């Protein structure tokens, strides 16, 4: 069994941003030299997420609007009594999930035709990290 | 370490449908011959999901109604400017999740008494695939 | 490859409760003696969840309120025709997710600074179980 670990760092210019990281996960997989196994891609923060969906700008705008409808910014969350203002980002993280697990077959991410991995930043403008862990043989 | 991979294909008659696939995951596990490990069950599409919950028809009706309240069909999503009409199916996928990971112990899915694996179709009437990947020893 | 399995049991005094189980997952990891791998922490029930987020009481109150807004208790769910009254707990489980997967690096949970594992009880006052499965080398 082999294990390969990489960390990506993101520093967005806006509070919320959606970044396609499929190429970077594939690059990590090539370095791992693993043919059969599992890849975990996970935000190391509680105000960011990782999800799998389509690389289509209209859809990304829909996702952003939808997340802010279901977990709105600007609400007077109890979490804000600590001095934070990012209660919405915590809830968006819980809604979208912070990690995905991707099967690896014959040295490739075993995805369907439209599946892409995204990093979803909900409280950006500072360094945030993602871990890629690939395990297999 | 062993890895076993299977693909299931579904072609539903209705746009949305919920299919209990626990037996098929168990059958894949028997073929894998793995006693200790992890099983990933993952939709290979961005308009379908996989979840674990109860095999109870009333609850399935509740889940369907609830998903359509939180991510409604019939909204004028920006994604529809591409000619698609399935924006809601993308959001339902993000809400329910596209994959589950199930512990395997002594050659069995290590589930509690009511846990069942479901394939959730949100944009059906065409061939859609699910991957089962089991890794262990 | 090694695999280590543990079961935790919870019996809450209230219907809904959020319990930080990070220490117990770390204790399981020490027993597992695994340096590189993956840890799965999964509720064995369909009315409870496991998530990763912040150990901050205000936020936990926000999460509880938010979950009950999106998947409210007291609605006349179809599931209740079976005699159950926990339809909301099933939907809360689907919203928050029932399992997380955590990378293990150098014998530690490879978490960011604020990430903590929580057991989320949505239908308590009875024995409920969580499985911890750690796989690696």
């Amino acid at each position: 069994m082999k294990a390969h670990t990489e960390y990506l760092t993101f520093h967005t210019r806006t509070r919320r941003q959606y970044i396609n990281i499929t190429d970077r996960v594939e690059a990590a997989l090539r370095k791992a030299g693993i043919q059969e196994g599992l890849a975990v891609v996970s935000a190391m923060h509680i105000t960011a997420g990782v999800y799998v969906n389509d690389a289509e700008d209209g859809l990304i705008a829909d996702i952003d609007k939808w997340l802010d409808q279901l977990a709105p910014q600007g609400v007077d969350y109890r979490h804000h009594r600590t001095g934070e203002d990012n209660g919405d980002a915590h809830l968006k993280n819980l809604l979208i999930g912070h990690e995905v697990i991707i099967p690896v077959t014959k040295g490739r991410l075993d995805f369907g035709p439209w599946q892409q991995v995204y990093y979803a930043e909900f409280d950006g403008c500072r360094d945030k990290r993602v871990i890629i862990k690939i395990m297999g043989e």
Side-chain angles (χ1 to χ4, degrees), chain A:
Chain A
M1 197 214 82
K2 280 197 257 190
H4 177 81
T5 313
E6 278 192 35
Y7 306 92
L8 309 179
T9 301
F10 299 96
H11 190 122
T12 62
R13 283 185 217 169
T14 51
R15 184 178 169 102
R16 295 209 300 274
Q17 199 173 318
Y18 304 85
I19 302 168
N20 189 336
I21 60 172
T22 315
D23 287 353
R24 301 187 71 173
V25 180
E26 285 173 344
L29 179 53
R30 284 191 295 273
K31 274 198 258 175
I34 285 169
Q35 293 294 307
E36 293 291 321
L38 300 173
V40 174
V41 185
S42 184
M44 300 182 79
H45 299 264
I46 51 191
T47 55
V50 172
Y51 69 86
V52 168
N53 215 294
D54 200 356
E56 198 278 297
D57 285 346
L59 180 70
I60 291 168
D62 292 328
I63 291 170
D64 185 65
K65 185 180 171 188
W66 176 71
L67 287 170
D68 204 52
Q69 279 169 348
L70 294 187
Q73 196 182 340
V75 167
D76 181 25
Y77 293 109
R78 280 196 53 176
H79 183 50
H80 295 177
R81 299 183 194 175
T82 63
E84 296 282 352
D85 70 347
N86 59 5
D88 70 299
H90 289 271
L91 301 181
K92 287 177 173 92
N93 157 292
L94 291 173
L95 188 51
I96 209 87
H98 75 282
E99 102 277 73
V100 295
I101 182 155
I102 308 164
V104 171
T105 306
K106 295 179 187 166
R108 305 288 295 274
L109 299 177
D110 203 342
F111 266 158
W114 303 100
Q115 289 183 301
Q116 301 279 306
V117 193
Y118 273 80
Y119 172 67
E121 178 62 81
F122 301 129
D123 186 25
C125 309
R126 55 193 172 102
D127 281 1
K128 303 278 283 266
R129 291 200 304 160
V130 164
I131 181 170
I132 303 172
K133 187 104 192 178
I134 309 170
M135 203 172 114
E137 259 178 15

